[in-house]
């Protein structure tokens, strides 16, 4: 088994609007990975590409770690360590060593304040019930789990998500349902069963943390649940998936549609959606949005644009490097975080504040 140290490489991206003083930062890691038998007598060690776990804005005064900038959490696909890096410079902030019982095939979830990691665990050794643990990102190993959720319905967990206020934890299950938990109180709030028969592709919360929307594969309507009580609040017919608007009043659905949550009525799309193929993410304050431009240019390249939410004005643009990994906008709305096409992670400044 081999291991290579993490490297920091610098390069020049292809930018459409160049107002940048900082270079492109690319993090790559080929950490220890399980050997793969390719042929008799031959052992191959596959690369361990960095996977984006989540991003979090700067912590508020009085919280542990206050004073640091926003962070991005990354992990090698086969690694038992989650690293938290500065979301703009890529500098290391802290790391969390995952306990042996953590299932590495299920992506961890980072809380919106960067203080907690939720991880799927192997079944309880006695009861075989499913388990999910919550770890502090500030306490060094072996500090143990802050909370441990144990339930038969957590067997088969395939994705996890915290609400923005950190009080709720959603767990999607390959059995075709999603559970909502008050994780601090170790209490299951509700279980939502898929109407399409498929597993949840995403677990969405409104920015104000009041609504929970599990988005199941192949669904044709989106159900909105009260995140506090688990009660059904609304059903948006004809909306298979979407992203909440920063004001928590609408859902950005497919084909550039804006759907009002109170009555399901379709509204004129905001200016920042014009000519786009969808939203990648908003800045923490909701004033900036990263979008995919529709179609490709004459060279067959896809483009991403950073736009101002209020006016739709383009602040920066760049060609997309498609690596199959998630892309995100840094909490301050200045930097693209995504794959570099070679198994690493790029932090690419778009437009300074």
């Amino acid at each position: 088994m081999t291991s290579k140290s993490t490297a920091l490489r610098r390069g020049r991206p292809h930018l459409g609007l160049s107002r940048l003083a900082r270079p492109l930062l690319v993090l790559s890691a080929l950490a220890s990975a399980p050997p793969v038998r390719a042929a008799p007598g031959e052992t191959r060690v596959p690369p361990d590409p960095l996977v984006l776990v989540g991003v979090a804005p700067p912590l508020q005064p009085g919280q542990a770690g206050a004073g640091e900038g926003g962070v991005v959490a990354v992990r090698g696909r086969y690694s038992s360590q989650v690293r938290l890096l500065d979301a703009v410079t890529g500098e290391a902030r802290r790391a969390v060593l995952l306990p042996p019982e953590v299932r590495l095939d299920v992506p961890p979830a980072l809380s919106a304040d960067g203080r907690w990691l939720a991880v799927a665990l192997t079944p309880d050794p006695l009861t075989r019930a499913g388990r999910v643990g919550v770890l502090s990102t500030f306490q060094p190993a072996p500090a143990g789990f802050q909370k441990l959720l144990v339930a038969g319905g957590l067997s088969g967990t395939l994705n996890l998500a915290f609400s923005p206020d950190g009080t709720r934890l959603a767990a999607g299950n390959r059995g075709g349902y999603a559970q909502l938990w008050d994780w601090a109180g170790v209490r299951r709030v509700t279980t939502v069963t898929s109407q399409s028969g498929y597993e949840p592709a995403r677990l969405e919360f409104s920015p104000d943390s009041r609504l929970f929307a599990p988005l199941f594969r192949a669904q044709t309507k989106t159900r909105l649940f009260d995140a506090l009580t688990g009660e059904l609040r609304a059903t948006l017919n004809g909306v298979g998936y979407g992203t909440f608007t920063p004001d928590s009043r609408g859902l950005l659905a497919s084909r550039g549609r804006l759907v009002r949550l109170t009555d399901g009525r379709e509204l004129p799309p905001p200016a920042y959606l014009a000519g786009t193929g969808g939203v990648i993410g908003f800045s923490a304050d909701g004033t900036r949005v990263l979008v995919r431009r529709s179609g490709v240019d004459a060279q067959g390249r896809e483009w991403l644009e950073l736009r101002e939410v209020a006016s739709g004005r383009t602040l920066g643009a760049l060609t997309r490097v498609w690596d199959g990994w998630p892309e995100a906008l840094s909490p301050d709305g200045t930097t693209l975080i995504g794959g570099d096409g070679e198994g690493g992670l790029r932090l690419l400044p778009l437009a300074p504040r």
Side-chain angles (χ1 to χ4, degrees), residues 276-352:
T276 73
V279 169
I280 293 176
F282 292 90
S283 59
D285 62 7
T287 62
R288 291 183 170 194
V289 60
L290 187 65
V291 298
R292 301 181 186 90
R293 187 189 297 173
S294 297
V296 296
D297 63 14
Q299 286 73 43
R301 299 172 300 187
E302 291 183 313
W303 283 77
L304 303 180
E305 289 189 5
L306 181 67
R307 294 182 176 181
E308 190 176 62
V309 169
S311 65
R313 181 170 61 97
T314 297
L315 305 174
L318 55 92
T319 54
R320 189 181 192 193
V321 179
W322 177 246
D323 189 31
W325 306 114
E327 293 167 313
L329 183 63
S330 65
D332 66 358
T334 67
T335 304
L336 169 75
I337 303 169
D340 70 346
E342 298 177 358
L345 194 77
R346 61 178 182 170
L347 304 176
L348 180 59
L350 276 167

Side-chain angles (χ1 to χ4, degrees), residues 11-351:
R12 294 185 62 84
H14 183 89
L15 296 177
L17 300 178
S18 182
R19 297 163 47 195
L20 312 176
R22 298 189 301 275
L24 165 67
L25 302 177
V26 179
L27 298 162
S28 67
L30 298 178
S32 297
V36 175
R37 289 286 177 186
E42 177 187 359
T43 299
R44 240 180 350 106
V45 178
D48 192 10
L50 287 178
V51 177
L52 178 63
V53 174
V55 296
L59 292 169
Q60 299 301 313
Q63 293 180 315
E68 71 176 19
V71 296
V72 51
V74 298
R75 178 179 71 98
R77 180 188 290 175
Y78 307 107
S79 175
S80 60
Q81 185 185 64
V82 176
R83 290 179 292 150
L84 284 88
L85 316 170
D86 187 285
V88 176
T89 68
E91 297 176 0
R93 294 301 182 196
R94 55 193 188 275
V96 179
L97 183 63
L98 302 179
E101 60 265 44
V102 170
R103 290 178 50 198
L104 299 181
D105 61 325
V106 179
L110 180 71
S111 64
D113 58 9
R115 298 176 61 198
W116 309 105
L117 274 175
V119 290
L121 308 177
T122 54
D124 183 278
L126 297 178
T127 66
R128 307 306 298 170
R131 300 185 298 167
V132 169
V134 178
L135 292 163
S136 169
T137 64
F138 286 97
Q139 295 178 354
F145 295 106
Q146 180 75 16
K147 294 292 180 179
L148 190 63
L149 312 180
V150 182
L154 292 175
S155 297
T157 294
L158 57 82
N159 47 19
L160 297 161
F162 282 100
S163 61
D165 64 4
T167 66
R168 293 291 183 263
L169 177 63
N173 195 284
R174 59 175 47 90
Y177 59 87
Q179 291 195 341
L180 183 64
W181 286 77
D182 168 9
W183 68 269
V186 194
R187 179 179 63 90
R188 182 176 61 84
V189 177
T190 190
T191 297
V192 181
T193 302
S194 170
Q195 295 180 326
S196 66
Y198 292 92
E199 71 276 8
R202 299 209 318 263
L203 304 165
E204 294 280 334
F205 288 92
S206 59
D208 62 8
S209 297
R210 294 183 178 180
L211 295 174
F212 169 55
L215 304 179
F216 297 94
R217 298 187 189 279
Q219 71 177 20
T220 57
K221 55 185 176 182
T222 294
R223 290 169 291 166
L224 307 176
F225 297 86
D226 188 302
L228 182 63
T229 66
E231 296 178 4
L232 178 66
R233 290 302 184 195
T235 299
L236 305 179
N237 294 310
V239 179
Y241 64 91
T243 302
F244 285 99
T245 56
D247 60 8
S248 299
R249 296 179 180 176
L251 197 73
L252 302 173
S254 58
R255 302 188 302 277
R257 295 177 297 156
L258 172 60
V259 179
R260 188 162 58 192
L261 300 185
T262 53
D263 55 10
R265 180 182 176 187
E266 189 170 324
L267 302 176
Y272 62 79
L273 281 185
T276 73
V279 169
I280 293 176
F282 292 90
S283 59
D285 62 7
T287 62
R288 291 183 170 194
V289 60
L290 187 65
V291 298
R292 301 181 186 90
R293 187 189 297 173
S294 297
V296 296
D297 63 14
Q299 286 73 43
R301 299 172 300 187
E302 291 183 313
W303 283 77
L304 303 180
E305 289 189 5
L306 181 67
R307 294 182 176 181
E308 190 176 62
V309 169
S311 65
R313 181 170 61 97
T314 297
L315 305 174
L318 55 92
T319 54
R320 189 181 192 193
V321 179
W322 177 246
D323 189 31
W325 306 114
E327 293 167 313
L329 183 63
S330 65
D332 66 358
T334 67
T335 304
L336 169 75
I337 303 169
D340 70 346
E342 298 177 358
L345 194 77
R346 61 178 182 170
L347 304 176
L348 180 59
L350 276 167

